[in-house]
Amino acid sequence: MNTHRVLSAILVLCALLLVIACSTDEAMEEELRPRRGGDPAEVFRRLDSDGDGVLTREEFRAIPARNRTPDEIFTRLDRDGNGALSQSEFMEARQGRQDGSRGGSDR
């Protein structure tokens, strides 16, 4: 009987931790998700965690992706192929999205 209570308590605790973890992931994704009509420069600054003025592949991976991996998107947007997204490359991609066209090149 005592073992049953302990196992039940552990199960409830695991379920609660799972709910908390999922809620945190969703909140983080929402925070990073570019908002329609939002300021692309502000989104860039939030993602540029070290403040060096470019987004590295690692920093870019913080963006949740739906149909492609962040690495595939990064490669497509990195027009000059230097392994970093400048603010202008990022802004061009965002502008293309808002206009309904595709940003970046199809390398």
Side-chain angles (χ1 to χ4, degrees), residues 60-93:
F60 193 78
R61 286 181 182 139
I63 298 175
R66 292 182 184 173
N67 298 327
R68 295 183 180 191
T69 68
D71 285 335
E72 289 172 325
I73 297 168
F74 184 92
T75 300
R76 189 170 55 101
L77 298 181
D78 183 16
R79 289 179 174 251
D80 60 10
N82 70 349
L85 292 182
S86 66
Q87 189 167 2
S88 64
E89 288 171 319
F90 184 79
M91 301 287 269
E92 287 173 17

Side-chain angles (χ1 to χ4, degrees), residues 5-32:
R5 284 186 181 170
V6 170
L7 290 175
S8 293
I10 290 172
L11 221 117
V12 168
L13 181 60
C14 288
L16 181 61
L17 289 173
L18 183 61
V19 167
I20 290 170
C22 289
S23 297
T24 303
D25 286 347
E26 289 171 7
M28 185 173 72
E29 285 182 13
E30 180 59 31
E31 178 63 24
L32 292 173

Side-chain angles (χ1 to χ4, degrees), residues 13-61:
L13 181 60
C14 288
L16 181 61
L17 289 173
L18 183 61
V19 167
I20 290 170
C22 289
S23 297
T24 303
D25 286 347
E26 289 171 7
M28 185 173 72
E29 285 182 13
E30 180 59 31
E31 178 63 24
L32 292 173
R33 187 174 295 125
R35 290 159 183 81
R36 189 176 294 269
D39 180 18
E42 178 58 33
V43 172
F44 184 89
R45 280 190 293 275
R46 281 195 327 224
L47 292 171
D48 184 15
S49 61
D50 61 5
D52 66 353
V54 296
L55 297 181
T56 62
R57 189 173 294 271
E58 191 63 37
E59 289 169 325
F60 193 78
R61 286 181 182 139

